[in-house]
Amino acid sequence: MNTRYDVAIIGCGEAGIFAGYELMRRHPALKVVTLDQGADIYTRSCPIVAGKVKECIHCKICDTMCGFGGAGAFSDGKYNFTTAFGGWLTDFMDGKEVMDLIDYVDTINVQHGATTEVFSTTTPEARALEKRALEHDLHLLQARCKHLGTENNLKILQSIYETVKEHVEYRFHTAVTTIENRGEEGYRLITDKGDEVDCTWLIAAPGRSGAEWFANQCKGLGIELINNQVDIGVRVELPAKVFEHITDVVYESKLVYRTKQYGDQVRTFCMNPYGHVVAENVEGINTVNGHSYSDPKLRSENTNFALLVSNRFTQPFNEPYRYGKHIASLSNMLAGGVLVQRFGDLVAGIRTNEHRLSKSFVRPTLTAAVPGDLSLALPKRQLDDIIEMIYQLDKIAPGTANYDTLLYGAEVKFYSSRLALSGELETALPRFFAIGDGAGVTRGLAQAGASGVKVARVIAERLGK
Ligand SMILES: Cc1cc2nc3c(=O)[nH]c(=O)nc-3n(C[C@H](O)[C@H](O)[C@H](O)COP(=O)(O)OP(=O)(O)OC[C@H]3O[C@@H](n4cnc5c(N)ncnc54)[C@H](O)[C@@H]3O)c2cc1C
């Protein structure tokens, strides 16, 4: 089957959704299609969450990462109003424009049921916290933040889907396998069903799950790829009380520290007060993540957050993605999935086993994690960095370095190879745009959504002319 559209969008995660939404608003007459390898927002269901299996069975298409809402659909939806983290859009446009786009995406979310409650950073308590952290060389990056909540996040996405589907054709369970450059005619997408989709304008928003595939397509199309980073670390889980004085004041606290031993940058990331640690499947590799519910009834007694060491490579190695996957696969090899170790055991150089874990005061919320030894999976440098950071955090949140603090591994944040893009997020090929996490320009909901709105406006404006 061959069909022709004005605009084709690959992927309906946050970036692809907001590109479609804004095209609908700015240019409703356009014929737009979105193709996604995953399912619609009503039928996405991970077999672990559905209680059908205990551990990841490596579904061909991961329902947690793919489908309407993308990787963010089952996240607890921390929406950060900042350009300081969550992406690199300020490399392409000025900070004010990025903030305007982030605010705009928020107004759309609010129209579809998102909370209006914002955690502010300008309170005296937040400033005092920043000062206290600084006294210990910990740098608190603060941002206004909204907590959409895992359950509300789904409702918001459903409402957006119901609105946009009247204008944008969605083809689910449809993976794009090949992108062809057809010159003046535009682009042809070949799908795994053998269909051909022709379009004048192409927006690629394949997210992290499609990043490797997309990078290969770009190489074939002669589009330059710029090296990017990979962040490797662990997820820390401890009693919520240890971090309460911080999480009550700044919901999403990001603390950055440069280690004395190596001069590496370590940061806290994705803080989930009263949350749950979860396993996540990235292209067949089990990594770890976390989330939290806004409904108090669904809360745990623990807080979890990631501790990540940023790694950037220079010549001759240029495949950070492969490096990160390799490290995550080591802990998978040892544990058959996610590995968990008590901090005290790690420092003492002993493996955490079932017996030792059963004595822990901190009860793991990811019960499928297998007790083991992280030092056999993570490189020494990253592990030393993490241990140093935990002792540093202990100075502002005493209890962080307790023996029973749990460390899950490996947590790996892959950032797709970044494409060489114009200030309008257009590739070197005309009318071919790349947005969101898969293009290596964002790593969070707010900037991913903002990048989608940006390219939709560029297209609408050019068509207007
Ligand atoms: C567990 C978890 C929790 C998170 N929590 C937060 C949070 O609280 N706050 C925050 O700001 N960010 C969070 N993030 C990150 C956030 O979800 C991402 O930054 C955001 O989803 C990126 O949006 P995207 O549209 O670029 O990509 P994605 O959301 O990854 O969407 C990409 C889509 O493209 C589709 N696709 C890929 N390749 C193809 C192909 N070849 N053919 C067809 N379709 C394809 C995929 O199926 C997918 O649906 C979280 C991520 C995870 C995994």
Side-chain angles (χ1 to χ4, degrees), residues 138-172:
L138 287 160
H139 302 261
L140 184 66
L141 303 184
Q142 300 199 55
R144 277 185 300 131
C145 172
K146 266 189 184 184
H147 182 213
L148 304 175
T150 308
E151 68 284 42
N152 293 338
N153 203 18
L154 275 180
K155 287 185 196 145
I156 297 163
L157 286 168
Q158 285 171 1
S159 170
I160 291 178
Y161 174 62
E162 289 302 325
T163 307
V164 188
K165 76 170 201 232
E166 303 302 325
H167 299 269
V168 173
E169 179 185 330
Y170 284 101
R171 293 198 200 173
F172 294 108

Short mmCIF file of all heavy atoms in Angstrom, two decimals, residues 138-172:
data_model
loop_
_atom_site.label_atom_id
_atom_site.label_comp_id
_atom_site.label_asym_id
_atom_site.label_seq_id
_atom_site.Cartn_x
_atom_site.Cartn_y
_atom_site.Cartn_z
N LEU A 138 28.35 20.56 47.10
CA LEU A 138 27.26 19.95 46.32
C LEU A 138 26.45 21.10 45.72
O LEU A 138 26.10 22.04 46.42
CB LEU A 138 26.36 19.11 47.23
CG LEU A 138 26.95 17.78 47.71
CD1 LEU A 138 26.21 17.28 48.94
CD2 LEU A 138 26.89 16.73 46.60
N HIS A 139 26.17 20.99 44.43
CA HIS A 139 25.53 22.11 43.75
C HIS A 139 24.10 21.74 43.40
O HIS A 139 23.86 20.79 42.65
CB HIS A 139 26.35 22.48 42.51
CG HIS A 139 27.75 22.84 42.88
ND1 HIS A 139 28.20 24.13 43.03
CD2 HIS A 139 28.79 22.03 43.24
CE1 HIS A 139 29.46 24.11 43.44
NE2 HIS A 139 29.84 22.85 43.58
N LEU A 140 23.19 22.47 43.99
CA LEU A 140 21.78 22.15 43.82
C LEU A 140 21.23 22.89 42.59
O LEU A 140 21.18 24.13 42.59
CB LEU A 140 21.02 22.57 45.09
CG LEU A 140 19.54 22.24 45.15
CD1 LEU A 140 19.30 20.74 45.19
CD2 LEU A 140 18.91 22.90 46.38
N LEU A 141 20.87 22.13 41.56
CA LEU A 141 20.24 22.75 40.39
C LEU A 141 18.75 22.76 40.66
O LEU A 141 18.15 21.71 40.90
CB LEU A 141 20.51 21.94 39.12
CG LEU A 141 21.96 21.69 38.72
CD1 LEU A 141 22.01 20.96 37.39
CD2 LEU A 141 22.73 23.00 38.63
N GLN A 142 18.19 23.92 40.66
CA GLN A 142 16.78 23.99 41.02
C GLN A 142 15.93 24.41 39.82
O GLN A 142 16.38 25.15 38.97
CB GLN A 142 16.59 25.00 42.13
CG GLN A 142 17.37 24.62 43.37
CD GLN A 142 16.82 25.33 44.57
OE1 GLN A 142 15.64 25.25 44.88
NE2 GLN A 142 17.67 26.04 45.27
N ALA A 143 14.73 23.92 39.84
CA ALA A 143 13.80 24.30 38.78
C ALA A 143 12.39 24.23 39.35
O ALA A 143 12.12 23.40 40.21
CB ALA A 143 13.92 23.35 37.61
N ARG A 144 11.54 25.10 38.82
CA ARG A 144 10.12 24.91 39.13
C ARG A 144 9.75 23.54 38.58
O ARG A 144 10.22 23.15 37.51
CB ARG A 144 9.28 25.97 38.42
CG ARG A 144 9.19 27.29 39.13
CD ARG A 144 8.25 28.22 38.40
NE ARG A 144 8.66 28.50 37.04
CZ ARG A 144 7.88 28.41 35.97
NH1 ARG A 144 6.63 28.01 36.08
NH2 ARG A 144 8.33 28.70 34.76
N CYS A 145 8.94 22.83 39.31
CA CYS A 145 8.63 21.47 38.87
C CYS A 145 7.17 21.13 39.17
O CYS A 145 6.64 21.54 40.21
CB CYS A 145 9.57 20.51 39.61
SG CYS A 145 9.19 18.79 39.34
N LYS A 146 6.57 20.39 38.26
CA LYS A 146 5.22 19.86 38.50
C LYS A 146 5.31 18.36 38.61
O LYS A 146 6.08 17.73 37.87
CB LYS A 146 4.31 20.17 37.31
CG LYS A 146 3.53 21.42 37.46
CD LYS A 146 2.51 21.52 36.35
CE LYS A 146 1.79 22.85 36.47
NZ LYS A 146 0.73 22.98 35.48
N HIS A 147 4.53 17.79 39.47
CA HIS A 147 4.48 16.34 39.57
C HIS A 147 3.13 15.90 39.01
O HIS A 147 2.10 16.04 39.68
CB HIS A 147 4.65 15.90 41.03
CG HIS A 147 4.66 14.42 41.19
ND1 HIS A 147 4.16 13.78 42.29
CD2 HIS A 147 5.11 13.45 40.37
CE1 HIS A 147 4.29 12.48 42.13
NE2 HIS A 147 4.87 12.25 40.99
N LEU A 148 3.15 15.39 37.78
CA LEU A 148 1.87 15.00 37.16
C LEU A 148 1.31 13.73 37.79
O LEU A 148 0.10 13.54 37.88
CB LEU A 148 2.05 14.81 35.65
CG LEU A 148 2.62 16.02 34.89
CD1 LEU A 148 2.86 15.68 33.43
CD2 LEU A 148 1.71 17.23 34.99
N GLY A 149 2.22 12.84 38.24
CA GLY A 149 1.76 11.60 38.86
C GLY A 149 1.52 10.52 37.82
O GLY A 149 0.95 10.80 36.75
N THR A 150 1.97 9.29 38.11
CA THR A 150 1.88 8.20 37.12
C THR A 150 0.46 8.00 36.62
O THR A 150 0.21 7.87 35.42
CB THR A 150 2.44 6.89 37.73
OG1 THR A 150 3.72 7.17 38.27
CG2 THR A 150 2.56 5.80 36.69
N GLU A 151 -0.50 7.98 37.56
CA GLU A 151 -1.88 7.69 37.15
C GLU A 151 -2.50 8.86 36.38
O GLU A 151 -3.21 8.65 35.39
CB GLU A 151 -2.74 7.26 38.36
CG GLU A 151 -3.02 8.33 39.43
CD GLU A 151 -1.84 8.63 40.36
OE1 GLU A 151 -0.70 8.71 39.89
OE2 GLU A 151 -2.07 8.85 41.56
N ASN A 152 -2.19 10.11 36.77
CA ASN A 152 -2.73 11.27 36.06
C ASN A 152 -2.10 11.44 34.69
O ASN A 152 -2.74 11.87 33.73
CB ASN A 152 -2.50 12.56 36.86
CG ASN A 152 -3.30 12.55 38.13
OD1 ASN A 152 -4.29 11.84 38.22
ND2 ASN A 152 -2.87 13.31 39.12
N ASN A 153 -0.82 11.10 34.64
CA ASN A 153 -0.09 11.21 33.38
C ASN A 153 -0.82 10.43 32.28
O ASN A 153 -1.00 10.92 31.17
CB ASN A 153 1.31 10.61 33.61
CG ASN A 153 2.32 11.13 32.62
OD1 ASN A 153 2.10 12.15 31.98
ND2 ASN A 153 3.41 10.42 32.48
N LEU A 154 -1.28 9.23 32.60
CA LEU A 154 -2.00 8.41 31.63
C LEU A 154 -3.30 9.07 31.20
O LEU A 154 -3.66 9.06 30.02
CB LEU A 154 -2.31 7.04 32.24
CG LEU A 154 -1.21 5.98 32.13
CD1 LEU A 154 -1.65 4.69 32.77
CD2 LEU A 154 -0.87 5.74 30.66
N LYS A 155 -4.01 9.65 32.18
CA LYS A 155 -5.29 10.30 31.84
C LYS A 155 -5.07 11.50 30.92
O LYS A 155 -5.84 11.75 30.00
CB LYS A 155 -5.99 10.76 33.13
CG LYS A 155 -6.57 9.60 33.91
CD LYS A 155 -7.36 10.10 35.10
CE LYS A 155 -7.59 8.95 36.06
NZ LYS A 155 -7.58 9.38 37.46
N ILE A 156 -3.99 12.26 31.20
CA ILE A 156 -3.69 13.43 30.36
C ILE A 156 -3.42 12.97 28.93
O ILE A 156 -3.94 13.53 27.96
CB ILE A 156 -2.47 14.20 30.93
CG1 ILE A 156 -2.77 14.75 32.32
CG2 ILE A 156 -2.03 15.32 29.99
CD1 ILE A 156 -1.54 15.16 33.12
N LEU A 157 -2.61 11.91 28.82
CA LEU A 157 -2.27 11.39 27.48
C LEU A 157 -3.51 10.89 26.75
O LEU A 157 -3.67 11.11 25.54
CB LEU A 157 -1.23 10.26 27.60
CG LEU A 157 0.19 10.71 27.95
CD1 LEU A 157 1.06 9.52 28.33
CD2 LEU A 157 0.83 11.46 26.76
N GLN A 158 -4.40 10.24 27.48
CA GLN A 158 -5.64 9.74 26.84
C GLN A 158 -6.45 10.91 26.30
O GLN A 158 -6.98 10.88 25.19
CB GLN A 158 -6.46 8.94 27.85
CG GLN A 158 -5.87 7.56 28.10
CD GLN A 158 -6.53 6.82 29.25
OE1 GLN A 158 -7.45 7.34 29.88
NE2 GLN A 158 -6.04 5.63 29.54
N SER A 159 -6.54 11.98 27.10
CA SER A 159 -7.32 13.14 26.70
C SER A 159 -6.70 13.81 25.47
O SER A 159 -7.41 14.20 24.52
CB SER A 159 -7.42 14.11 27.88
OG SER A 159 -7.96 15.31 27.47
N ILE A 160 -5.37 13.91 25.46
CA ILE A 160 -4.69 14.51 24.30
C ILE A 160 -4.93 13.63 23.06
O ILE A 160 -5.25 14.12 21.98
CB ILE A 160 -3.18 14.68 24.58
CG1 ILE A 160 -2.96 15.77 25.64
CG2 ILE A 160 -2.42 15.02 23.30
CD1 ILE A 160 -1.52 16.02 26.04
N TYR A 161 -4.83 12.33 23.25
CA TYR A 161 -5.03 11.40 22.13
C TYR A 161 -6.42 11.58 21.52
O TYR A 161 -6.57 11.66 20.29
CB TYR A 161 -4.82 9.96 22.62
CG TYR A 161 -5.14 8.91 21.59
CD1 TYR A 161 -4.42 8.84 20.41
CD2 TYR A 161 -6.16 7.98 21.79
CE1 TYR A 161 -4.70 7.87 19.45
CE2 TYR A 161 -6.44 7.01 20.84
CZ TYR A 161 -5.72 6.97 19.67
OH TYR A 161 -6.01 6.02 18.72
N GLU A 162 -7.43 11.66 22.38
CA GLU A 162 -8.81 11.81 21.88
C GLU A 162 -8.97 13.09 21.06
O GLU A 162 -9.73 13.14 20.10
CB GLU A 162 -9.80 11.81 23.06
CG GLU A 162 -9.96 10.45 23.74
CD GLU A 162 -10.42 9.35 22.78
OE1 GLU A 162 -11.20 9.63 21.86
OE2 GLU A 162 -9.95 8.20 22.94
N THR A 163 -8.24 14.15 21.45
CA THR A 163 -8.33 15.41 20.73
C THR A 163 -7.60 15.35 19.39
O THR A 163 -8.12 15.75 18.36
CB THR A 163 -7.71 16.55 21.58
OG1 THR A 163 -8.33 16.52 22.85
CG2 THR A 163 -7.91 17.91 20.94
N VAL A 164 -6.37 14.83 19.43
CA VAL A 164 -5.53 14.91 18.23
C VAL A 164 -5.94 13.88 17.18
O VAL A 164 -5.79 14.11 15.99
CB VAL A 164 -4.03 14.74 18.59
CG1 VAL A 164 -3.15 15.03 17.38
CG2 VAL A 164 -3.64 15.67 19.71
N LYS A 165 -6.48 12.76 17.61
CA LYS A 165 -6.75 11.69 16.64
C LYS A 165 -7.80 12.09 15.58
O LYS A 165 -7.88 11.47 14.52
CB LYS A 165 -7.16 10.40 17.35
CG LYS A 165 -8.56 10.35 17.89
CD LYS A 165 -8.88 8.94 18.35
CE LYS A 165 -10.35 8.79 18.40
NZ LYS A 165 -11.03 8.33 19.49
N GLU A 166 -8.55 13.15 15.85
CA GLU A 166 -9.51 13.65 14.86
C GLU A 166 -8.77 14.27 13.67
O GLU A 166 -9.33 14.42 12.59
CB GLU A 166 -10.43 14.71 15.47
CG GLU A 166 -11.22 14.24 16.70
CD GLU A 166 -12.09 13.02 16.38
OE1 GLU A 166 -12.59 12.95 15.25
OE2 GLU A 166 -12.21 12.15 17.26
N HIS A 167 -7.52 14.70 13.90
CA HIS A 167 -6.78 15.43 12.85
C HIS A 167 -5.54 14.70 12.36
O HIS A 167 -5.09 14.93 11.26
CB HIS A 167 -6.36 16.80 13.38
CG HIS A 167 -7.52 17.66 13.75
ND1 HIS A 167 -8.11 18.52 12.87
CD2 HIS A 167 -8.21 17.75 14.91
CE1 HIS A 167 -9.13 19.12 13.48
NE2 HIS A 167 -9.21 18.67 14.72
N VAL A 168 -4.99 13.88 13.23
CA VAL A 168 -3.76 13.18 12.87
C VAL A 168 -4.08 11.69 12.77
O VAL A 168 -4.69 11.13 13.68
CB VAL A 168 -2.66 13.41 13.94
CG1 VAL A 168 -1.43 12.54 13.66
CG2 VAL A 168 -2.28 14.88 14.01
N GLU A 169 -3.67 11.08 11.66
CA GLU A 169 -3.89 9.63 11.54
C GLU A 169 -2.78 8.91 12.32
O GLU A 169 -1.59 9.22 12.15
CB GLU A 169 -3.84 9.23 10.06
CG GLU A 169 -4.04 7.76 9.84
CD GLU A 169 -3.86 7.38 8.36
OE1 GLU A 169 -4.15 8.21 7.47
OE2 GLU A 169 -3.43 6.24 8.12
N TYR A 170 -3.18 8.01 13.20
CA TYR A 170 -2.17 7.25 13.95
C TYR A 170 -2.14 5.83 13.43
O TYR A 170 -3.18 5.18 13.30
CB TYR A 170 -2.51 7.23 15.45
CG TYR A 170 -2.18 8.54 16.12
CD1 TYR A 170 -3.17 9.48 16.39
CD2 TYR A 170 -0.86 8.85 16.44
CE1 TYR A 170 -2.86 10.70 16.98
CE2 TYR A 170 -0.54 10.06 17.03
CZ TYR A 170 -1.54 10.99 17.30
OH TYR A 170 -1.22 12.18 17.87
N ARG A 171 -0.94 5.34 13.15
CA ARG A 171 -0.77 3.93 12.78
C ARG A 171 0.09 3.28 13.86
O ARG A 171 1.30 3.54 13.94
CB ARG A 171 -0.08 3.78 11.43
CG ARG A 171 -0.92 4.29 10.28
CD ARG A 171 -0.37 3.69 8.99
NE ARG A 171 -0.79 4.46 7.85
CZ ARG A 171 -0.35 4.26 6.62
NH1 ARG A 171 0.56 3.31 6.40
NH2 ARG A 171 -0.78 4.99 5.61
N PHE A 172 -0.57 2.48 14.70
CA PHE A 172 0.16 1.81 15.78
C PHE A 172 0.66 0.45 15.29
O PHE A 172 0.26 -0.03 14.24
CB PHE A 172 -0.73 1.67 17.02
CG PHE A 172 -1.08 3.01 17.62
CD1 PHE A 172 -2.36 3.55 17.51
CD2 PHE A 172 -0.11 3.75 18.26
CE1 PHE A 172 -2.67 4.80 18.04
CE2 PHE A 172 -0.40 5.00 18.80
CZ PHE A 172 -1.68 5.52 18.68
#
